[in-house]
Amino acid sequence: MTTSEPRPRVETGREPDLLTYIWNLPNFHELQNNPQKVLDAIDKFNTEEKRLINIGPRKGVLIDNLIAEKKPSVMIELGGYVGYSAIRFGDALKRAGGKKYYSFEINPINASVAKLLIELSGLQDVVSVIVAPSHESLANVVKDSLIESIEILFVDHWKDRYIYDLWLVERLGLLKKGESVIVADNISPEAERGTEYVDWLNASQSEKEGILEKHSFGTDFANVDLVEVIKEKGVRGSGVDLENVPGIPSYVYETKLHEFRNNSGRTDGVAISNVL
Ligand SMILES: C[S@@+](CC[C@H](N)C(=O)[O-])C[C@H]1O[C@@H](n2cnc3c(N)ncnc32)[C@H](O)[C@@H]1O
């Protein structure tokens, strides 16, 4: 297993066009402070104008219901894109009595679009967009003590980062047994056993130890308390390659894959994992 090739952080195109579309809508004023109308407008742009890669209404309802049931005080998402999931789930979290939704986004153009749409929805006090690679943002929320543990984590950035950020979350001590829930989008049932992320969720402790043995890490973690190092030296000064830290094999997950057929007929899934 190796870390992925770097992708360009900034690509422009249909995402800024979404802003032009929304600000030119004849009923634009009706969208102000109305998250549902903003979501409807994004869905309409997606189906009638240009394809976007947000979670959409069908999968969205599944996660809305999870939020209503678990009532998290704080949520984090990895991969904010143009703000659709942040508006949808930030609003659900607010309605369930929650306080804060952190949306981590690497691409500043997408993040800027998201910030404007979040503000248009009236959710700027609840939803914060943090523009940085997810591993840095995860370490920063720990360094700044913004969260003690994950209540619900929504994983929806690039799929090859899923396993590395899960390992980082484990290593940062952010998971609480019996409480934390991790929701991952774009897990296809065909690849359920094939992806490193799903393999890790389903592996036994000894299988996980085997996975880590085959992998090389830049830091010897035997005597390193990552949280202590980050709090003492900061995220950039820690000297640890946060994109590639070993997970903790003793965590046990119970995962249910919810399947959805997309417009092109392919089956896709949302994996909801409880930390046991
Ligand atoms: C599928 S989209 C997210 C869709 C969004 N969650 C929604 O449903 O509205 C993936 C996003 O993840 C961002 N991304 C990819 N790798 C990232 C990383 N390492 N850290 C933060 N964001 C990342 C991409 O720039 C892109 O905007």
Side-chain angles (χ1 to χ4, degrees):
M1 209 189 298
T2 53
T3 47
S4 52
E5 289 292 310
R7 283 193 173 83
R9 287 190 189 183
V10 184
E11 287 163 10
T12 55
R14 57 208 160 136
E15 292 79 15
D17 290 347
L18 171 65
L19 289 183
T20 315
Y21 170 84
I22 287 191
W23 257 257
N24 282 329
L25 285 172
N27 66 337
F28 172 73
H29 68 278
E30 291 173 13
L31 274 60
Q32 282 166 324
N33 301 319
N34 191 327
Q36 189 54 54
K37 287 207 165 157
V38 174
L39 295 173
D40 292 343
I42 302 174
D43 284 331
K44 201 155 187 270
F45 176 86
N46 183 31
T47 48
E48 293 179 5
E49 303 285 331
K50 296 183 181 176
R51 298 295 301 168
L52 297 172
I53 53 168
N54 53 45
I55 186 130
R58 286 167 58 238
K59 290 175 178 173
V61 169
L62 175 76
I63 303 167
D64 295 344
N65 292 342
L66 179 72
I67 294 169
E69 183 199 319
K70 278 207 56 99
K71 303 190 185 348
S73 165
V74 179
M75 258 182 89
I76 290 180
E77 76 175 7
L78 313 183
Y81 194 46
V82 294
Y84 182 94
S85 52
I87 292 168
R88 178 159 200 132
F89 305 144
D91 185 41
L93 172 137
K94 185 181 171 188
R95 283 187 281 112
K99 289 193 175 63
K100 201 80 206 165
Y101 190 98
Y102 292 107
S103 175
F104 297 167
E105 174 53 52
I106 199 171
N107 177 320
I109 305 276
N110 293 349
S112 304
V113 174
K115 283 183 186 187
L116 284 168
L117 293 176
I118 288 160
E119 206 176 286
L120 177 64
S121 308
L123 288 169
Q124 63 279 7
D125 293 340
V126 176
V127 181
S128 293
V129 178
I130 299 179
V131 193
S134 47
H135 61 277
E136 274 187 30
S137 298
L138 282 166
N140 267 319
V141 293
V142 170
K143 181 184 141 286
D144 297 339
S145 305
L146 295 178
I147 59 162
E148 279 171 18
S149 63
I150 296 283
E151 295 170 82
I152 302 179
L153 175 70
F154 177 47
V155 183
D156 192 21
H157 50 346
W158 300 144
K159 231 178 349 179
D160 50 10
R161 295 304 312 159
Y162 283 21
I163 184 62
Y164 294 101
D165 278 341
L166 175 60
W167 284 351
L168 179 60
V169 163
E170 292 182 345
R171 187 61 50 182
L172 288 171
L174 285 172
L175 297 181
K176 229 181 186 167
K177 293 180 183 168
E179 290 185 20
S180 301
V181 179
I182 304 176
V183 179
D185 189 21
N186 300 124
I187 303 289
S188 84
E190 296 83 33
E192 202 195 347
R193 298 236 123 242
T195 67
E196 292 156 343
Y197 176 78
V198 177
D199 281 352
W200 181 263
L201 292 173
N202 292 337
S204 65
Q205 179 160 347
S206 62
E207 286 167 339
K208 286 181 179 176
E209 283 159 0
I211 292 172
L212 295 181
E213 261 166 38
K214 285 193 209 121
H215 192 90
S216 61
F217 297 98
T219 310
D220 176 9
F221 279 86
N223 298 310
V224 172
D225 179 332
L226 185 57
V227 176
E228 218 171 78
V229 172
I230 284 171
K231 289 214 175 206
E232 212 175 284
K233 298 188 176 161
V235 170
R236 293 263 167 91
S238 68
V240 174
D241 178 5
L242 295 168
E243 285 191 88
N244 188 29
V245 304
I248 309 265
S250 57
Y251 282 110
V252 179
Y253 299 93
E254 183 183 62
T255 300
K256 183 166 173 15
L257 187 71
H258 299 260
E259 295 183 21
F260 294 85
R261 193 168 287 277
N262 65 21
N263 292 340
S264 50
R266 285 212 332 270
T267 310
D268 188 18
V270 175
I272 301 187
S273 305
N274 291 288
V275 182
L276 300 183

